[in-house]
């Protein structure tokens, strides 16, 4: 094996190159310090954005619409919100783990991983703009939606190996004839 994973460095005994993956580059091959720094930076950024969104939602939740409710109705509303958030936490975790398991059974090749990443990045701005009006409509259930997003993200960030890494490793082994 090469001492440094690089798309320009061939693997010893083979003319194939280590494919670069979206967000991981070629660090996935050796899984060294740079790999874990990228994973930690991704997790820190992603979770800080979610924490900010949860803070904003919390400030909105304790704000105007809830204060107009009578105390009994407010208590019932809070219990319903808590139940919805707990259900969304479990649902998000289970859904993401199932998607990851499915991805590990049929991992994408490096080209498929790059194409999927490109497709997500071109859709994101339009989806963000299109989500503004529905977000106002679903404001009462936004805590549950954010709970789902948090658990989905934590499940995604805490996997040992991403499906794209498995697919790249299989493609590399296949290209070397192993």
């Amino acid at each position: 094996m090469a001492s440094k994973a690089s798309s320009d460095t061939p693997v010893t005994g083979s003319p194939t190159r280590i494919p670069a993956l979206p967000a991981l580059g070629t660090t996935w091959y050796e899984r060294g310090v740079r790999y874990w720094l990228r994973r930690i930076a991704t997790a820190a950024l992603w979770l800080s954005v979610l924490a900010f969104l949860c803070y904003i939602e919390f400030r909105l939740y304790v704000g105007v619409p809830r204060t107009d409710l009578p105390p009994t109705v407010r208590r019932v509303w809070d219990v319903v919100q808590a139940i919805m958030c707990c259900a969304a936490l479990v649902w998000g975790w289970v859904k993401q783990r199932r998607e990851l398991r499915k991805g590990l059974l049929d991992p994408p090749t490096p080209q498929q991983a790059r194409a999927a990443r490109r497709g997500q990045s071109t859709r994101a701005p339009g989806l963000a703009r299109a989500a503004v009006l529905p977000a106002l409509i679903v404001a009462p259930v936004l805590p549950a939606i954010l709970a789902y997003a948090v658990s989905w993200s934590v499940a995604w960030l805490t996997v040992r190996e991403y499906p794209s890494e498995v697919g790249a490793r299989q493609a590399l082994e296949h290209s070397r004839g192993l």
Side-chain angles (χ1 to χ4, degrees):
M1 282 191 288
S3 62
K4 182 177 181 182
S6 167
S7 58
D8 297 333
T9 306
V11 178
T12 302
S14 174
T16 59
R17 293 190 182 346
I18 299 168
L21 295 177
L24 294 175
T26 57
T27 63
W28 64 270
Y29 185 71
E30 289 185 0
R31 296 175 64 96
V33 173
R34 290 181 338 136
Y35 170 82
W36 290 108
L37 285 175
R38 283 185 180 207
R39 293 262 318 242
I40 289 168
T42 299
L45 177 65
W46 193 253
L47 293 177
S48 64
V49 167
L50 283 173
F52 176 71
L53 290 174
C54 289
Y55 172 75
I56 296 298
E57 174 52 32
F58 177 74
R59 298 304 302 163
L60 290 172
Y61 183 74
V62 296
V64 177
R66 192 175 156 271
T67 57
D68 295 338
L69 297 174
T72 306
V73 175
R74 189 179 318 141
R75 245 180 262 117
V76 169
W77 178 254
D78 290 343
V79 168
V80 168
Q81 286 289 338
I83 291 169
M84 286 185 350
C85 286
C86 289
L89 280 169
V90 172
W91 181 33
W93 179 272
V94 169
K95 182 166 175 45
Q96 177 61 308
R97 288 298 175 159
R98 285 181 182 161
E99 287 176 13
L100 287 167
R101 196 173 306 119
K102 182 181 172 187
L104 288 172
L105 292 175
D106 185 25
T109 64
Q111 294 81 11
Q112 290 170 332
R114 278 192 292 279
R117 179 70 174 230
R118 240 187 337 269
Q120 290 170 351
S121 65
T122 57
R123 285 190 310 252
L127 289 174
R129 282 191 290 273
V132 171
L133 185 59
L136 295 175
I137 295 169
V138 299
V141 293
L142 202 52
I145 292 169
L146 284 174
Y148 175 87
V150 167
S151 66
W152 185 94
S153 300
V154 169
W156 172 62
L157 293 168
T158 58
V159 295
R160 191 173 78 65
E161 193 171 35
Y162 294 123
S164 59
E165 294 176 62
V166 173
R169 193 170 312 284
Q170 287 176 355
L172 187 62
E173 289 172 358
H174 183 265
S175 68
R176 290 195 304 183
L178 296 177

